[in-house]
Structure formats: C-alpha cells, structure tokens
Coordinates of all heavy atoms in Angstrom, one line a residue:
A1 N 8.6 -1.0 -20.3 CA 7.3 -1.4 -19.8 C 7.5 -2.2 -18.5 O 6.7 -2.0 -17.5 CB 6.5 -2.1 -20.8
F2 N 8.4 -3.2 -18.5 CA 8.6 -4.0 -17.3 C 9.1 -3.2 -16.1 O 8.6 -3.4 -15.0 CB 9.6 -5.2 -17.6 CG 9.0 -6.3 -18.3 CD1 9.6 -6.8 -19.4 CD2 7.9 -7.0 -17.7 CE1 9.0 -7.9 -20.1 CE2 7.3 -8.1 -18.4 CZ 7.9 -8.6 -19.5
V3 N 10.0 -2.3 -16.3 CA 10.4 -1.4 -15.3 C 9.3 -0.6 -14.7 O 9.1 -0.5 -13.5 CB 11.6 -0.5 -15.8 CG1 11.9 0.6 -14.7 CG2 12.8 -1.3 -16.1
A4 N 8.5 0.0 -15.6 CA 7.3 0.8 -15.1 C 6.3 -0.1 -14.4 O 5.8 0.4 -13.3 CB 6.6 1.4 -16.4
I5 N 6.1 -1.3 -14.8 CA 5.2 -2.2 -14.1 C 5.7 -2.5 -12.7 O 5.0 -2.5 -11.7 CB 4.9 -3.5 -14.9 CG1 4.0 -3.2 -16.1 CG2 4.3 -4.6 -14.0 CD1 3.9 -4.3 -17.1
F6 N 7.0 -2.8 -12.6 CA 7.6 -3.2 -11.3 C 7.5 -1.9 -10.3 O 7.3 -2.1 -9.1 CB 9.0 -3.7 -11.4 CG 9.1 -5.1 -11.9 CD1 9.7 -5.5 -13.0 CD2 8.5 -6.1 -11.1 CE1 9.7 -6.8 -13.5 CE2 8.5 -7.4 -11.5 CZ 9.1 -7.8 -12.7
R7 N 7.8 -0.8 -10.9 CA 7.7 0.4 -10.0 C 6.2 0.6 -9.5 O 6.0 1.0 -8.4 CB 8.1 1.7 -10.8 CG 9.6 1.8 -10.9 CD 10.0 3.1 -11.5 NE 11.4 3.2 -11.6 CZ 12.0 4.0 -12.4 NH1 11.3 4.9 -13.2 NH2 13.3 4.1 -12.5
L8 N 5.3 0.5 -10.4 CA 3.9 0.6 -10.1 C 3.5 -0.4 -9.0 O 2.7 -0.1 -8.1 CB 3.0 0.5 -11.3 CG 1.5 0.7 -11.1 CD1 1.2 2.1 -10.6 CD2 0.8 0.5 -12.5
M9 N 4.0 -1.6 -9.2 CA 3.7 -2.7 -8.2 C 4.2 -2.3 -6.8 O 3.6 -2.5 -5.8 CB 4.2 -4.0 -8.6 CG 3.5 -4.7 -9.8 SD 4.3 -6.2 -10.4 CE 4.4 -7.2 -9.0
G10 N 5.4 -1.7 -6.8 CA 6.0 -1.2 -5.5 C 5.2 -0.1 -4.9 O 4.9 -0.1 -3.7
Q11 N 4.7 0.8 -5.7 CA 3.9 1.9 -5.2 C 2.5 1.4 -4.7 O 2.0 1.8 -3.7 CB 3.7 2.9 -6.3 CG 4.9 3.7 -6.7 CD 4.7 4.6 -7.9 OE1 3.7 4.5 -8.6 NE2 5.7 5.4 -8.2
T12 N 2.0 0.4 -5.4 CA 0.7 -0.2 -5.0 C 0.9 -0.9 -3.7 O 0.0 -0.8 -2.8 CB 0.2 -1.1 -6.1 OG1 0.0 -0.4 -7.3 CG2 -1.1 -1.8 -5.7
Q13 N 1.9 -1.6 -3.5 CA 2.2 -2.3 -2.3 C 2.4 -1.3 -1.1 O 1.8 -1.5 0.0 CB 3.5 -3.2 -2.4 CG 3.8 -3.9 -1.1 CD 2.8 -5.0 -0.7 OE1 2.1 -5.5 -1.6 NE2 2.8 -5.3 0.5
A14 N 3.1 -0.3 -1.4 CA 3.3 0.7 -0.3 C 2.0 1.4 0.1 O 1.7 1.6 1.3 CB 4.3 1.8 -0.8
A15 N 1.1 1.7 -0.9 CA -0.2 2.3 -0.6 C -1.0 1.3 0.2 O -1.8 1.7 1.1 CB -0.9 2.7 -1.9
A16 N -1.0 0.0 -0.2 CA -1.8 -1.0 0.5 C -1.3 -1.1 2.0 O -2.1 -1.2 2.9 CB -1.7 -2.3 -0.2
E17 N 0.0 -1.1 2.2 CA 0.5 -1.1 3.6 C 0.1 0.1 4.4 O -0.2 0.0 5.5 CB 2.0 -1.3 3.5 CG 2.5 -2.7 3.0 CD 4.0 -2.8 2.8 OE1 4.7 -1.8 3.0 OE2 4.4 -3.8 2.3
S18 N 0.2 1.3 3.7 CA -0.2 2.5 4.4 C -1.7 2.5 4.8 O -2.1 2.9 5.9 CB 0.1 3.7 3.5 OG -0.4 4.9 4.0
R19 N -2.5 2.0 3.8 CA -4.0 1.9 4.1 C -4.2 0.9 5.2 O -5.1 1.2 6.1 CB -4.7 1.5 2.8 CG -6.2 1.6 2.8 CD -6.8 1.5 1.5 NE -6.3 0.5 0.6 CZ -5.6 0.8 -0.5 NH1 -5.3 2.0 -0.9 NH2 -5.1 -0.2 -1.3
A20 N -3.5 -0.2 5.3 CA -3.7 -1.1 6.4 C -3.3 -0.5 7.7 O -3.9 -0.7 8.7 CB -2.8 -2.4 6.1
A21 N -2.2 0.3 7.7 CA -1.7 0.9 9.0 C -2.8 1.9 9.4 O -3.1 2.0 10.6 CB -0.4 1.6 8.8
V22 N -3.4 2.7 8.5 CA -4.4 3.7 8.9 C -5.6 2.9 9.4 O -6.2 3.3 10.5 CB -4.8 4.5 7.6 CG1 -6.1 5.3 7.9 CG2 -3.7 5.5 7.3
N23 N -6.0 1.9 8.8 CA -7.2 1.1 9.3 C -6.9 0.5 10.7 O -7.8 0.6 11.5 CB -7.5 0.0 8.3 CG -8.2 0.5 7.0 OD1 -8.7 1.5 7.0 ND2 -8.1 -0.3 6.0
E24 N -5.7 0.0 10.9 CA -5.4 -0.5 12.2 C -5.4 0.6 13.3 O -6.0 0.4 14.4 CB -4.0 -1.2 12.2 CG -3.6 -1.8 13.5 CD -2.3 -2.5 13.5 OE1 -1.7 -2.6 12.4 OE2 -1.8 -2.8 14.5
A25 N -4.9 1.8 13.0 CA -4.9 2.9 13.9 C -6.4 3.3 14.2 O -6.7 3.6 15.3 CB -4.1 4.0 13.4
L26 N -7.2 3.4 13.2 CA -8.6 3.8 13.4 C -9.3 2.8 14.2 O -10.2 3.1 15.0 CB -9.3 4.0 12.0 CG -8.8 5.2 11.2 CD1 -9.5 5.2 9.9 CD2 -9.2 6.5 12.0
Q27 N -9.0 1.5 14.0 CA -9.7 0.4 14.8 C -9.2 0.6 16.3 O -10.0 0.4 17.2 CB -9.4 -0.9 14.3 CG -10.1 -1.2 13.0 CD -9.7 -2.6 12.3 OE1 -8.7 -3.2 12.8 NE2 -10.3 -2.9 11.2
T28 N -8.0 0.9 16.5 CA -7.5 1.0 17.9 C -8.2 2.2 18.5 O -8.6 2.1 19.7 CB -5.9 1.2 17.8 OG1 -5.3 0.1 17.3 CG2 -5.4 1.4 19.3
L29 N -8.3 3.3 17.8 CA -9.0 4.5 18.3 C -10.5 4.1 18.6 O -11.0 4.5 19.7 CB -8.9 5.6 17.3 CG -9.7 6.9 17.7 CD1 -9.1 7.5 19.0 CD2 -9.6 7.9 16.6
D30 N -11.1 3.4 17.7 CA -12.5 3.0 18.0 C -12.6 2.2 19.2 O -13.5 2.3 20.0 CB -13.1 2.3 16.7 CG -14.5 2.1 16.8 OD1 -15.3 3.0 17.2 OD2 -15.0 0.9 16.5

C-alpha cells in the first residue's frame, strides 16, 4: 500500500507540473 501511495503521489505531482506548464503556455499565447 505504501509503495502504491508513493507511486500515485509521483504521478499526481507529474500531472500537476504538466498542467502548470500547459497553463503557462496558454497564458503566454493569450
């Protein structure tokens, strides 16, 4: 369970970073 939680946290962090990069690019375009 701990291993699964840590993997999920890593995936969540990567998704948040990707979403932030997309938002920044869209703001630059705007």
